[in-house]
Amino acid sequence: MRLLLLDIGGTAIKGSFCIDEDMGPIHEIPSQAIKGGNVLIENVTKLITSMEKEHGRADAIGICTAGRVDVKKGLITYANENIPGYTGMKVKEIIEKRFQVPAYIENDVRAAAIGEGTYGDASPFSDYLTLTYGTGIGGAIVMGKEIYRGSDGSAGEFGLLVTHAEDVVDGIPYSGCYEKYGSVTALVNKAKELDPFLSDGRKIFEHIEVYKVRNIVEEWCHEVAIGLSSLIHIFNPPCIILGGGIMQQALVESLVKSKVSSLMIGDIDEVCIKSASLGNMAGIYGMRAIIEADFL
């Protein structure tokens, strides 16, 4: 099979052309998501056109994307202000009409969970959780190797877990919620209070030997662990996969595990907590698995 696979992020759209079992090189362009859904989809079509020009026509197209996705209809049921005008966009219909091949649409974190469960370190497990840490915190619940979607498709919104009830303010979205404290955005905001130069994760870890920077990272890892310990008590999963570029830092993985252990009531020896083995390719591998499962 010839599969064209895309991962739509807030800053970039990544793509790979998979021929049979051979995953091709990564193509990447800016998403310009902040300019809105229409601009974003136009950039998607440009990348698909460019990739087909280089690799030939695809048999199917798989797209994982930020936002809540109705996978049957292939539309975005909700997207926040990071992609204005994206809510309600019929991505599947647009892509199939433009390129005349089947299109598959899935939420990016759920696709990453499927990728890790098919090709990555979650493959030995039938049940596991996946969380990704970036601008916000995304989540996915896998039960019996299948995504658990909930009654209206919104299960796994772990970023909305209230971890600081004392900070909840009526009418203020996300107040007191996990992603306000455990996202990479939260880490960067704290670091910028110390030094405006520390404006992204890469710069923070370039200065990790500075005592005050290290302290900020450790405090942030504690916030990450607070959410994870709650989820472990709720789900009792055998495995949790942590995604997002920052989770590839060995120090972060080590600190998070240690702090989760200190917060647990009971034994967590059998809970496998580890960073995503497929890195930022997990979503693309997930879309490959979704399409192949449908065709086989």
Side-chain angles (χ1 to χ4, degrees):
M1 289 187 66
R2 300 172 56 81
L3 307 179
L4 197 155
L5 309 168
L6 301 182
D7 184 341
I8 299 175
T11 59
I13 305 168
K14 299 189 297 291
S16 179
F17 207 105
C18 180
I19 301 176
D20 296 326
E21 296 185 1
D22 182 19
M23 192 74 81
I26 291 295
H27 299 252
E28 185 171 327
I29 64 171
S31 64
Q32 299 180 297
I34 196 62
K35 293 185 178 181
N38 289 330
V39 171
L40 177 63
I41 292 301
E42 180 61 27
N43 287 334
V44 168
T45 61
K46 287 179 180 177
L47 181 56
I48 293 172
T49 300
S50 172
M51 290 175 65
E52 287 200 324
K53 184 176 181 180
E54 180 174 342
H55 300 285
R57 184 171 172 79
D59 297 320
I61 297 171
I63 300 174
C64 64
T65 176
R68 294 180 190 168
V69 177
D70 182 324
V71 294
K72 292 182 179 179
K73 296 179 180 178
L75 63 84
I76 309 302
T77 60
Y78 173 77
N80 64 24
E81 66 278 2
N82 293 323
I83 314 179
Y86 201 36
T87 299
M89 185 156 288
K90 300 176 180 179
V91 179
K92 176 180 173 69
E93 180 180 307
I94 293 169
I95 298 302
E96 289 185 341
K97 183 176 180 180
R98 171 68 176 79
F99 295 98
Q100 297 297 303
V101 295
Y104 296 76
I105 318 298
E106 179 59 280
N107 167 266
D108 51 0
V109 184
R110 290 174 172 176
I114 293 168
E116 288 290 336
T118 307
Y119 304 104
D121 282 350
S123 59
F125 302 95
S126 295
D127 307 324
Y128 56 94
L129 305 178
T130 299
L131 292 89
T132 59
Y133 297 82
T135 304
I137 297 175
I141 304 165
V142 177
M143 300 173 64
K145 289 289 187 181
E146 299 286 340
I147 295 291
Y148 175 74
R149 300 181 184 277
S151 62
D152 68 354
S154 63
E157 293 281 2
F158 298 144
L160 302 184
L161 178 71
V162 174
T163 56
H164 288 266
E166 71 278 6
D167 292 338
V168 173
V169 179
D170 288 349
I172 304 298
Y174 307 104
S175 61
C177 289
Y178 187 27
E179 69 177 39
K180 282 290 186 180
Y181 308 89
S183 65
V184 177
T185 300
L187 170 62
V188 170
N189 287 342
K190 281 288 186 182
K192 286 168 65 178
E193 290 176 10
L194 175 66
D195 183 345
F197 172 77
L198 302 173
S199 57
D200 59 43
R202 178 182 58 80
K203 292 175 181 176
I204 290 170
F205 281 91
E206 285 175 353
H207 294 79
I208 194 63
E209 298 304 321
V210 176
Y211 172 77
K212 289 184 178 180
V213 175
R214 168 87 180 216
N215 191 52
I216 288 171
V217 171
E218 290 198 8
E219 290 177 352
W220 175 76
C221 287
H222 181 72
E223 294 292 347
V224 172
I226 288 173
L228 290 176
S229 65
S230 294
L231 294 172
I232 291 169
H233 284 119
I234 293 166
F235 290 97
N236 188 27
C239 177
I240 299 180
I241 299 294
L242 307 180
I246 200 163
M247 291 301 170
Q248 299 301 309
Q249 294 282 344
L251 174 64
V252 170
E253 183 178 357
S254 175
L255 284 171
V256 167
K257 287 180 179 180
S258 173
K259 291 177 182 296
V260 167
S261 180
S262 70
L263 291 169
M264 293 302 298
I265 300 173
D267 188 0
I268 65 163
D269 287 347
E270 295 186 9
V271 180
C272 173
I273 302 174
K274 60 195 314 178
S275 60
S277 59
L278 299 176
N280 62 9
M281 285 290 289
I284 285 176
Y285 273 97
M287 294 314 301
R288 170 183 166 181
I290 289 168
I291 297 174
E292 289 178 344
D294 192 52
F295 270 75
L296 293 177

